[in-house]
Structure formats: structure tokens, C-alpha cells
Amino acid sequence: MEVSDLIARARDGQPRAVARLISMVENGSPRLREIMAELRTDRPHRARIIGLTGSPGVGKSTSTGMLVQAFRKRDKKVGVLAVDPSSPFTGGALLGDRVRMQDHACDPEVFIRSMASRGHLGGLSWATPQALRVLEAAGCEVILIETVGVGQAEVDIASLADTTVVLLAPGMGDGIQAAKAGILEIADVFVVNKADRDGTQATIRELRNMLALVERAWRPPIVPTVAYRGEGADDVVNALDEHLAYLEESGELARRRQVRARDEIEAIALAALRSRFAHLHGDRRLDVLADRVLDGDLDPYTAADELMEAIG
């Protein structure tokens, strides 16, 4: 099928066309440049992008499903990208996050796609930015990105989403853990899921103490939920709406989207540069430079400059 026909079908909301385009993006299709060029329009549609991140077991998939239901009640077309970890040994991935979202599987206004991280660090797949463009072209008004279960430093989602939701659960750590730098600092909204468990108020109190130490123009709200029962869904959506209004009024939304486009361009350029370097393994020029560094004729920075000139 021609790329133009495939994109036309995706714009009509045909899920198989959307799925095929995302597969081509993930697999680095030789036609990827053509796809991205065709997706560009004079007045591109801008979906609202919400990222959900947190440690394994806090209920990200269940919370994502809860938000899908809440936005569908508002008659919004919703896309979901659920990123699952890839095995460092086999390269395989379970892609099981969408199992928890089966309630929406038959809804034509919901598109759910699992993506493997394929070794990419930061909690996302390298193809996530281009997959977002496909979902925007397909008319999704809200796109939810669920990251891999992450630790304290996997914060890529903050540069990709308009609003970042950090999920926690009672019993995941004490006040010292809450005060550590890292993933908690990227939150625009905190969600304390599994709020029917003991320790919920202690977790909320520790978060408030942490927030009191940091001066920010936007003070992240803390919302308790019990996602598997749908409790707190309206409160989360209201918090997301308040943050969106703040972004629009302050000009931060335009700034974040510019940063997102800049990072995407930079990533594509670096990938092209890495592909050039991949051809140098075993190249005699690299061996000669290495020998000169070992002999003391060159320092490694000068050698790197010569290498860049050679492949430029």
C-alpha cells in the first residue's frame, strides 16, 4: 500500500492503518522519512499529551485505564501508548500493559498500543515521539503515555508530555525517599494510588513536606485514588485541567512543545551520526588514530576532531 493511502486511512480513524504506521515507525522503516513528511500538514492537530510514570506496582496501567474512561465520558478520542520493558538477554517484551485496559478494547474512539522499550533508557521507547505524530494525525485529542516501571532517574517523559503525572502508593518509602532528587521533581500532578491501604495519609504528608522545600511557579496537587474502583478519577482530571490552564496562561505550554520538537530533531540527528560511526568499527582510520593516541602523538580530543572531519 502506498504511504499516502495508509496515512489517509489512518486519518479516517482506521485502527489497522494506525497500527501499521506505528509498526513501521518502531521498525525504522526505510519509508519513515516519507511517512513523517506526509504526516506534516499546514495546520497540524495538537493532541493533549499526558504522561504517567512511577515505580513498578503503583498501578500505572490501571490508572491509565481509569483516565481513558474519564476522558471518554467527555467524548474525547483517546490514544494510549504503553511502554513495556524489553529483556536485555532475549530482546523480547511481554507487552502486557494493555491487558489491564480490556474494557476499552471494543471502543472505536480508543486506540491502545503497547511498545517495547528495545533497550532505550529513560522509561520510553525511542520511537515514542514519532508514534505520537501518528496518533495526532489519526485525530486523537488526548494521548496517554504510560512509561516503563521506572526508578529515580528515568525522567524522559517530562520532556515529551504536556503534563506529567507521577504515581505513588503507600508503603513505597519514607520521608527521606520522598525528598530525594529525581523522578518526584518532574511531577506536575501527584497521584497516590491504592489509597484504601494503610499509610496513605503518611505518604501525602511526606509529599507535602517535600513540596514545601521547593519553590515552583506551579505547585503540584496531590490526589488520592483507588484506580481499580475508579475512585478519584474526576479529581485527577480536574487537576489535569487546572495544570493545562496554567500552562496556557503562563506560556509554558508553547515552551514545552518547542522543547519537545527540538529534542526530537536532536535525537534524529544523533541517530544519523551514530549510524555513520557504526561503519567505522574495524576501519583502518580509527585504528591509526588509536595507535597515535597510545604512542602519545595525539590526545584523544584531537583524534576525535580528526575523526569527525574524516566522516563529515
Side-chain angles (χ1 to χ4, degrees):
M1 186 182 299
E2 292 295 324
V3 165
S4 57
D5 293 336
L6 198 58
I7 290 175
R9 295 187 183 193
R11 285 198 169 113
D12 287 339
Q14 296 184 25
R16 291 185 66 180
V18 176
R20 187 171 176 185
L21 283 171
I22 293 179
S23 293
M24 294 172 75
V25 166
E26 281 193 285
N27 295 328
S29 168
R31 308 183 76 179
L32 188 52
R33 290 178 179 272
E34 183 183 355
I35 291 170
M36 289 299 116
E38 286 278 350
L39 287 176
R40 182 182 59 82
T41 61
D42 293 334
R43 301 178 65 181
H45 164 68
R46 297 296 184 196
R48 180 180 178 183
I49 300 175
I50 300 169
L52 293 94
T53 190
S55 302
V58 296
K60 293 188 296 298
S61 296
T62 308
S63 297
T64 301
M66 178 184 73
L67 287 179
V68 170
Q69 184 174 9
F71 281 114
R72 286 298 297 128
K73 287 181 179 177
R74 295 185 170 194
D75 201 29
K76 299 292 186 182
K77 186 171 184 177
V78 182
V80 178
L81 295 176
V83 184
D84 284 306
S86 296
S87 167
F89 302 103
T90 66
L94 178 61
L95 302 182
D97 281 345
R98 59 184 170 184
V99 172
R100 299 187 180 96
M101 305 179 211
Q102 286 302 302
D103 292 345
H104 312 289
C106 296
D107 188 340
E109 297 299 302
V110 177
F111 182 90
I112 301 173
R113 174 67 178 237
S114 288
M115 303 176 69
S117 63
R118 301 193 181 192
H120 183 81
L121 301 178
L124 298 175
S125 164
W126 73 271
T128 305
Q130 285 75 47
L132 285 175
R133 292 186 179 278
V134 174
L135 291 180
E136 284 184 327
C140 291
E141 299 167 273
V142 177
I143 301 175
L144 304 173
I145 306 174
E146 178 196 336
T147 73
V148 170
V150 297
Q152 290 178 324
E154 293 85 351
V155 294
D156 280 6
I157 188 63
S159 63
L160 198 60
D162 299 326
T163 301
T164 300
V165 178
V166 172
L167 287 101
L168 302 97
M172 300 295 285
D174 57 12
I176 300 297
Q177 189 70 18
K180 287 183 178 180
I183 192 171
L184 297 184
E185 291 185 334
I186 68 171
D188 297 309
V189 175
F190 284 107
V191 169
V192 179
N193 191 33
K194 306 182 181 181
D196 51 345
R197 293 183 175 182
D198 293 337
T200 298
Q201 292 306 314
T203 301
I204 293 174
R205 184 168 58 251
E206 288 159 4
L207 282 174
R208 285 176 177 159
N209 291 338
M210 182 203 72
L211 292 173
L213 300 174
V214 182
E215 290 188 10
R216 294 177 57 175
W218 167 259
R219 189 175 182 84
I222 304 169
V223 184
T225 65
V226 183
Y228 78 95
R229 293 203 297 249
E231 295 178 9
D234 291 339
D235 294 333
V236 176
V237 173
N238 289 338
L240 294 173
D241 287 344
E242 290 174 7
H243 184 248
L244 179 63
Y246 160 76
L247 292 176
E248 292 174 337
E249 292 170 5
S250 65
E252 180 69 9
L253 183 62
R255 191 197 70 81
R256 289 191 180 195
R257 289 180 172 177
Q258 183 191 48
V259 169
R260 185 160 76 222
R262 187 184 65 195
D263 289 347
E264 184 179 2
I265 295 167
E266 182 180 330
I268 292 170
L270 288 174
L273 191 59
R274 278 194 299 269
S275 69
R276 292 187 186 181
F277 273 101
H279 298 299
L280 288 175
H281 291 292
D283 190 297
R284 182 60 186 159
R285 290 175 298 176
L286 190 56
D287 292 337
V288 169
L289 288 170
D291 289 339
R292 292 180 66 189
V293 170
L294 288 173
D295 292 340
D297 294 337
L298 281 180
D299 66 87
Y301 283 91
T302 303
D305 290 340
E306 289 191 15
L307 183 62
M308 291 295 292
E309 290 176 5
I311 68 171

